Amino acid sequence: MAEVRRRRFNVIDRAVQKARQEIMAQEDANVFAAFDAAASVENTLQDISDAGLLKKDLVEIKGQIDRWDLVTAKFFMHINEYNDILKWGAGGGQGVGGGELDPVTMREVLQTGLYARIWGADILVSKIVPPGTVFGVADPEFVGVMPIRADIEVIPADEPKLLSVGWVVSEIIGIGIVNPRGVSAGRKSVVIGS
């Protein structure tokens, strides 16, 4: 019966796929930890409004990078902070009547549910970014590297005596921030939820 199930659902491919996803999540965690460490080396950590992420908060994060003649290329944030951005057009912003978005952008947000760029910088959401934290990052060639020394490798690790099938999945990478001026961060002093 177990053999029929394995053939029908291809357990090996699923296990390798899950392992790759877990490794990628760990890579993201390591990159964000490197961003966190680098963000306060040359730049000042910015305080994000506890009531919610405002445009001025993003401008202050961006300003820390721009003052070094670098261009902010990406903002990384948790979904909680991204939802704060979506409130800008619905009366949650700091503009007159709460609206922060022009009508064309507001239409795009309403149709797609996405607000993906601001001031030429991509907005990227990850569950790995700690809630209450936003990272601003310059173009990759001005920030750091993540060399892959050995790509993801899957090695069978079966234990016939225990009648178990297993795999060892590994990769060897490096992460280096060579220019901490290209990384800035903002953080809420009080984090609500997770």
Side-chain angles (χ1 to χ4, degrees):
M1 190 69 159
E3 187 62 32
V4 171
R5 286 188 187 137
R6 269 192 221 110
R7 287 184 189 163
R8 186 172 172 198
F9 296 109
N10 206 346
V11 174
I12 295 171
D13 285 347
R14 179 68 180 140
V16 170
Q17 182 184 17
K18 284 286 285 178
R20 285 181 190 270
Q21 290 172 348
E22 291 297 321
I23 285 178
M24 287 183 215
Q26 187 59 51
E27 285 174 3
D28 288 354
N30 292 343
V31 168
F32 292 131
F35 285 169
D36 196 44
S40 59
V41 172
E42 292 278 345
N43 294 322
T44 304
L45 188 64
Q46 300 300 302
D47 186 30
I48 295 175
S49 170
D50 291 338
L53 182 68
L54 302 174
K55 248 186 189 178
K56 74 172 188 64
D57 297 323
L58 288 180
V59 170
E60 289 169 357
I61 293 168
K62 180 181 181 322
Q64 291 293 306
I65 296 169
D66 294 350
R67 69 189 175 122
W68 302 108
D69 292 330
L70 297 169
V71 176
T72 304
K74 295 183 183 349
F75 289 104
F76 294 95
M77 62 188 68
H78 191 271
I79 191 66
N80 294 351
E81 282 62 52
Y82 185 76
N83 287 335
D84 289 344
I85 289 174
L86 294 179
K87 293 175 189 172
W88 290 352
Q94 66 263 40
V96 177
E100 283 288 318
L101 305 178
D102 61 87
V104 174
T105 305
M106 191 62 215
R107 182 174 186 271
E108 181 182 333
V109 171
L110 290 172
Q111 286 182 330
T112 65
L114 297 174
Y115 187 56
R117 292 179 64 81
I118 188 166
W119 309 304
D122 296 327
I123 299 172
L124 302 169
V125 177
S126 173
K127 66 180 181 181
I128 308 294
V129 175
T133 301
V134 176
F135 294 108
V137 183
D139 285 315
E141 60 265 23
F142 300 112
V143 176
V145 294
M146 189 175 98
I148 298 172
R149 294 186 172 86
D151 204 1
I152 294 176
E153 186 176 356
V154 181
I155 302 168
D158 300 342
E159 298 227 12
K161 290 180 184 176
L162 299 175
L163 299 174
S164 67
V165 178
W167 301 270
V168 173
V169 182
S170 66
E171 79 171 342
I172 302 172
I173 63 168
I175 296 172
I177 304 292
V178 293
N179 183 10
R181 292 177 176 180
V183 181
S184 177
R187 191 169 286 125
K188 290 181 181 177
S189 50
V190 178
V191 179
I192 300 171
S194 57

